[in-house]
Amino acid sequence: MAIFGNRSGGIRRPGRTMIVASLAISLVATLSACGSGEGSANEVTLLTHDSFQLPQEIVDQFQTETGMKLKIVHSGDAGALSATISLTPGSPKGDAVFGIDNTFAARPIEAKALLPYVSPAAANGAAEFNVEGSAGELTAVDRGDVCINIDDAWFDTRGIEAPTQFDQLTEPKYRDLTVLMDPSTSSPGMGFLLATLGRFRNHAPDYWRGMVSNGAKIVSGWEVAYNQEFSAGAGHGKRPIVVSYASSPAATPGTSALLDSCFAQVEYIGVLRGAANTEGAKKLVDFMLSPTVQAALPTSMYVYPVQKGTPLPASWRQRAPIPAWTVTMTPAYISAHREEWLNEWRAVVKG
């Protein structure tokens, strides 16, 4: 089956992504103008999304261990990043790319924009998240679960029972309380769409229709949804139900995730075909799987590490437990049906 539930161990940050073609084109032009692909053996250029961050001491550690400086180029969101890489196969403006997730992985692989490389460290967990049918073009670094998040404190102060299951959100008592993201412009929005397809199968359009009829608000992306519309977000909005990640409650006390509503999202790193410093890019792949980096991921980017034996912060066990069940799909299956599903979504939302 292409869509299935997965009992998983192991993994997100609050944050992500808009898929805008014009932005991708402008990014290609910007990166071409800056000429970052010229590089040298003493420098590794990493193209990544705007949410990427690691402590400076860890970035410095890479230079200490390899003798190479790590240059980080933030290139928009995951969707635009994937499009940019796919549009420049063989002529990249960097050496490695991090942040392409499993909802976008098929495109750069099909474009032959990535050089196969299997890190020896991947055998300790990352290999379990390999892209099915690929030749090692992408290596998993972290996994995050896109889930419905609830502002439990909001419900407690109003004496209203908070929803505890995915299918409750269409009930009248939760009218006008949910904010979703457009799956055509948001990676977590697409994750929500895929979660409904995995959970409700052929009845997913009925569920979307029920959500829209129940007053769900649809915005462009996570930043607007979580930080402006969500009542527990930075902007203290009016809606206590939002699409985010299973790990988000670790950063936002008083909230929780509906663990029956999750889609497993995996982030990858890859070596760019035609890179100026291929060997340096391979060393960076190895480094991203190291115990030091893997242990830093939960607190620096709010994601779950993929390497086995990596400790999670103690507070996560209570506030951000790993979902025991998630919806999973292969990147190729997502790519093959993306437009079909988006058209169905648009028909419901605009209908």
Side-chain angles (χ1 to χ4, degrees):
M1 295 288 292
I3 307 176
F4 55 93
N6 177 43
R7 295 204 171 274
S8 57
I11 61 182
R12 179 121 219 229
R13 106 202 57 193
R16 267 289 211 250
T17 64
M18 297 188 68
I19 313 164
V20 186
S22 60
L23 175 57
I25 293 170
S26 67
L27 281 169
V28 173
T30 301
L31 290 172
S32 298
C34 73
S36 60
E38 296 176 0
S40 74
N42 297 321
E43 182 176 83
V44 181
T45 299
L46 174 66
L47 306 184
T48 186
H49 53 60
D50 290 342
S51 296
F52 176 83
Q53 56 182 332
L54 284 174
Q56 185 59 46
E57 60 267 24
I58 292 181
V59 175
D60 292 341
Q61 183 176 330
F62 175 77
Q63 182 169 348
T64 300
E65 293 181 2
T66 66
M68 302 176 192
K69 181 181 178 181
L70 178 59
K71 179 180 180 180
I72 299 171
V73 179
H74 292 96
S75 305
D77 55 64
L81 178 66
S82 176
T84 299
I85 297 305
S86 302
L87 289 169
T88 56
S91 302
K93 300 305 172 183
D95 302 304
V97 58
F98 169 79
I100 294 173
D101 64 40
N102 52 325
T103 67
F104 296 108
R107 184 175 182 185
I109 290 175
E110 292 170 358
K112 301 188 184 303
L114 301 161
L115 185 70
Y117 171 64
V118 178
S119 171
N124 190 39
E128 295 180 9
F129 300 93
N130 284 350
V131 176
E132 184 177 308
S134 70
E137 293 93 340
L138 290 169
T139 299
V141 172
D142 64 73
R143 180 187 143 202
D145 298 308
V146 175
C147 310
I148 291 290
N149 276 217
I150 306 296
D151 182 356
D152 297 299
W154 186 95
F155 285 97
D156 287 344
T157 58
R158 288 161 178 76
I160 302 173
E161 183 179 359
T164 57
Q165 296 180 333
F166 203 7
D167 56 5
Q168 290 180 302
L169 302 186
T170 58
E171 294 179 2
K173 63 181 175 180
Y174 301 121
R175 182 174 183 81
D176 298 331
L177 299 185
T178 302
V179 56
L180 307 176
M181 299 148 212
D182 186 341
S184 68
T185 59
S186 164
S187 181
M190 175 56 73
F192 169 80
L193 184 77
L194 299 176
T196 62
L197 288 163
R199 177 80 178 180
F200 303 112
R201 306 289 175 128
N202 294 335
H203 298 290
D206 295 329
Y207 182 78
W208 308 336
R209 192 171 293 108
M211 292 291 287
V212 172
S213 297
N214 207 34
K217 185 173 185 178
I218 301 168
V219 299
S220 60
W222 185 89
E223 288 290 344
V224 175
Y226 201 93
N227 286 328
Q228 296 182 29
E229 298 289 343
F230 186 42
S231 55
H236 303 291
K238 298 181 179 180
R239 294 180 178 245
I241 304 171
V242 69
V243 174
S244 195
Y245 298 94
S247 54
S248 298
T252 311
T255 67
S256 63
L258 293 187
L259 298 184
D260 70 338
S261 68
C262 304
F263 172 77
Q265 194 173 57
V266 181
E267 283 192 312
Y268 297 92
I269 188 169
V271 178
L272 292 167
R273 187 179 294 278
N277 190 353
T278 297
E279 290 307 309
K282 292 179 179 179
K283 290 182 182 296
L284 181 58
V285 173
D286 298 340
F287 184 70
M288 292 297 288
L289 297 183
S290 68
T292 299
V293 173
Q294 289 285 299
L297 291 173
T299 52
S300 61
M301 291 195 285
Y302 288 93
V303 291
Y304 298 100
V306 295
Q307 292 289 74
K308 296 177 181 177
T310 304
L312 290 175
S315 62
W316 282 42
R317 295 172 187 167
Q318 179 178 359
R319 290 167 53 186
I322 298 166
W325 185 94
T326 58
V327 171
T328 63
M329 298 184 196
T330 66
Y333 189 79
I334 295 171
S335 180
H337 295 277
R338 181 191 300 274
E339 288 307 313
E340 170 193 339
W341 293 332
L342 287 176
N343 286 336
E344 285 188 87
W345 166 269
R346 293 184 190 108
V348 168
V349 171
K350 295 180 180 179

